[in-house]
Amino acid sequence: MSYNASFERLPISACFDLKGAENALVEWIGAEILPGFPTEANRRRSADGLSLDHVGPRHWLLHADIDREDELNAALRPHLAPAEVSIVRISDTMTTFRVAGADVAHVLAIGCPLDLHETAFPEDAVTFTEFFGQKALVRRCAGGFDVSVEQSYGDMMEDCLTRALR
Amino acid sequence: MMLIPCPFCGHRNESEFAYGGPVKPDRPDPHAASDEDWVDWLTTVPNPLGPVEERWWHVKGCGTWLTIWRDTRTHCVVEGSGDAG
């Protein structure tokens, strides 16, 4: 029996790792650039093509299309950031798989221990967890989930997903 | 399977965590402690039949280090974490 689901490897997108106190980050970056901080842990806030994921204590990930990477890099000035905050461009460190289809929940359940029902993991939920044994960032997308892993595990994940979908 | 309460993420599967060892008592003053006490602190791992205080690292999650009390007879977390860092 095979599952009614499919996956694709998404092209690279811009991603910046932000660490530090919220007010220190706002002071350095400027509130007008960010889409606003999510008010809850493991939630995403999106606006104007940017999204900010609250993935840990004093830890956020800022995502955008790759076309905006240079613009964001100029605005965030990672190389000049004060000691209170850490800003690192990590666009090329992650590779993302989009898994979608009617049976997507079954496929995710093979590799991920999280409760991904909509009541426990709503539309704006995002979190680091494990996927086929590796650390992975999981979030919802239209019709399924986006799963990002460290890029060196990309081929392994592709193989695992291919086997899971059989 | 054990569900470990992370102060940031809530209850998560133990496979997302790395064991950080038991919580040890404060390090004794090596100049004041007897050889027996020093060796005991350095090498003896608490192994009670019952609750033991342990450190865990949410390495595949939010990165938080936390402390829990786990009952070695049942694997139940009898007291959750209060600290995050």
Side-chain angles (χ1 to χ4, degrees), chain A residues 23-27 47 56 98 111 113 143:
Chain A
N23 56 358
L25 283 165
V26 169
E27 192 176 321
R98 176 156 292 174

Side-chain angles (χ1 to χ4, degrees), chain B residues 13-85:
Chain B
N13 193 300
E14 68 174 296
S15 60
E16 291 186 10
F17 293 81
Y19 180 59
V23 175
K24 301 178 82 170
D26 289 343
R27 182 177 185 267
D29 179 357
H31 300 294
S34 66
D35 286 354
E36 190 181 341
D37 288 345
W38 178 248
V39 169
D40 187 52
W41 180 83
L42 208 59
T43 62
T44 306
V45 178
N47 187 25
L49 186 65
V52 61
E53 193 176 19
E54 295 174 333
R55 299 279 286 159
W56 289 80
W57 179 26
H58 199 185
V59 60
K60 290 178 186 166
C62 65
T64 297
W65 275 95
L66 53 106
T67 307
I68 59 169
W69 283 88
R70 178 179 62 88
D71 194 313
T72 56
R73 296 165 299 189
T74 61
H75 276 319
C76 288
V77 177
V78 291
E79 192 176 321
S81 63
D83 56 341

Side-chain angles (χ1 to χ4, degrees), chain A residues 42 57 127-130 133 135, chain B residues 9 12 15-16 59-61 64:
Chain A
N42 291 323
T127 185
F128 275 111
T129 179
E130 71 169 340
K135 183 171 183 173
Chain B
C9 302
R12 291 293 182 92
S15 60
E16 291 186 10
V59 60
K60 290 178 186 166
T64 297

Side-chain angles (χ1 to χ4, degrees), chain A residues 103-139:
Chain A
D103 293 336
V104 66
H106 298 290
V107 176
L108 264 287
I110 297 171
C112 176
L114 271 189
D115 179 358
L116 293 172
H117 290 97
E118 202 144 350
T119 49
F121 198 79
E123 195 177 337
D124 62 342
V126 54
T127 185
F128 275 111
T129 179
E130 71 169 340
F131 195 58
F132 291 113
Q134 303 305 323
K135 183 171 183 173
L137 184 72
V138 175
R139 56 198 179 276

